[in-house]
Amino acid sequence: MSRVYLPSLGPDSWQASLADPVKHWRVGYSARTLAHSWEKANGLPFEVAAMFEKPAELLVALPEHKVPLAGGQRDSQSDVFALIRFGEETCAATIEGKVNEPFGPTVGEWFANPSNGKRLRMRQICDLLGLDGVPPLDVRYQLMHRTASALLEARRFKTDEAAMIVHSFSPARMWFADFERFAGLFGMAARPDQSVAIVLNSGQRLRLGWATGNPEYLSQ
């Protein structure tokens, strides 16, 4: 994977980085909607900036950023990885764009009859998240590995905190209950358009947030 990133020429520049540039680039779906929202903001979208208690500034955004995890060749690919400055601190954030698409398989579905590679990956993720073992089977696995990716990149870039933010454009807030369930693993009470933060046993600070995007981008 190349470590060289080129400046974006607009929303269509994001399409080439998708796993399936044809199937995933559709009006009203998360990849295209997210691209238009972030490009129009020319920085942090207002609702994402609102996840931070202090004025927040986007330092760099990397669409479809891949983070290697243990136990296999398939990386965790975030819709956006963002380095964010807020006040005198910095944050490494993975952004998960959503419209009506679900968060993928549950832990129970993904970890059924696990291979050695899956066991190794689950152990790494649980260690990063500060979990004692495999979480309840109804938790969405995607939320786990996206958050683990943020924690890994926060260590790599030596930021003050890591964040996993769901940037949702669903008017009905579809799948918020799954996010709320995940936040509950850390004793967090999730609320739409607010963030919550804790310090993990590792000493890393973790922020989780659900940001409601502007629905006007669903038609672009």
Side-chain angles (χ1 to χ4, degrees):
M1 181 179 66
S2 175
R3 296 291 179 180
V4 177
Y5 296 88
L6 300 176
S8 170
L9 298 177
D12 289 345
S13 295
W14 298 44
Q15 183 178 6
S17 299
L18 295 170
D20 188 331
V22 176
K23 179 181 178 181
H24 295 161
W25 193 253
R26 298 165 64 187
V27 173
Y29 284 70
S30 60
R32 186 180 177 115
T33 303
L34 195 74
H36 280 273
S37 171
W38 280 68
E39 288 282 353
K40 185 64 180 285
N42 194 27
L44 282 178
F46 171 82
E47 58 273 17
V48 176
M51 295 292 101
F52 299 87
E53 300 84 4
K54 299 176 182 178
E57 172 193 3
L58 178 65
L59 301 179
V60 65
L62 306 178
E64 302 300 327
H65 181 66
K66 296 180 180 180
V67 177
L69 296 175
Q73 297 181 345
R74 187 172 182 178
D75 299 334
S76 178
Q77 185 166 335
S78 300
D79 294 327
V80 180
F81 171 71
L83 286 175
I84 299 167
R85 182 178 179 87
F86 61 106
E88 297 301 316
E89 297 183 292
T90 55
C91 174
T94 52
I95 310 296
E96 184 65 23
K98 286 295 173 205
V99 181
N100 297 326
E101 309 96 325
F103 285 109
T106 63
V107 169
E109 292 164 341
W110 183 81
F111 206 59
N113 300 314
S115 63
N116 289 335
K118 283 191 174 183
R119 291 181 186 277
L120 183 61
R121 179 163 293 200
M122 179 63 77
R123 188 177 308 118
Q124 180 195 30
I125 291 172
C126 288
D127 286 346
L128 285 163
L129 300 181
L131 302 177
D132 293 332
V134 178
L137 301 184
D138 63 324
V139 171
R140 295 287 178 171
Y141 169 67
Q142 186 182 81
L143 293 172
M144 293 182 62
H145 69 80
R146 290 287 189 268
T147 305
S149 298
L151 290 163
L152 283 170
E153 294 300 78
R155 292 180 182 181
R156 190 159 71 98
F157 287 97
K158 296 186 177 181
T159 61
D160 297 288
E161 71 172 32
M164 193 283 291
I165 297 171
V166 178
H167 196 182
S168 170
F169 295 84
S170 169
R173 293 192 179 121
M174 291 186 69
W175 316 112
F176 177 77
D178 288 330
F179 173 77
E180 187 177 32
R181 178 73 172 102
F182 176 68
L185 295 178
F186 307 95
M188 297 179 177
R191 299 286 186 274
D193 301 312
Q194 297 179 20
S195 69
V196 284
I198 62 166
V199 177
L200 301 174
N201 292 336
S202 64
Q204 279 190 283
R205 190 167 74 226
L206 172 64
R207 182 184 302 270
L208 298 177
W210 179 283
T212 302
N214 189 332
E216 73 177 54
Y217 295 109
L218 289 168
S219 60
Q220 297 185 12

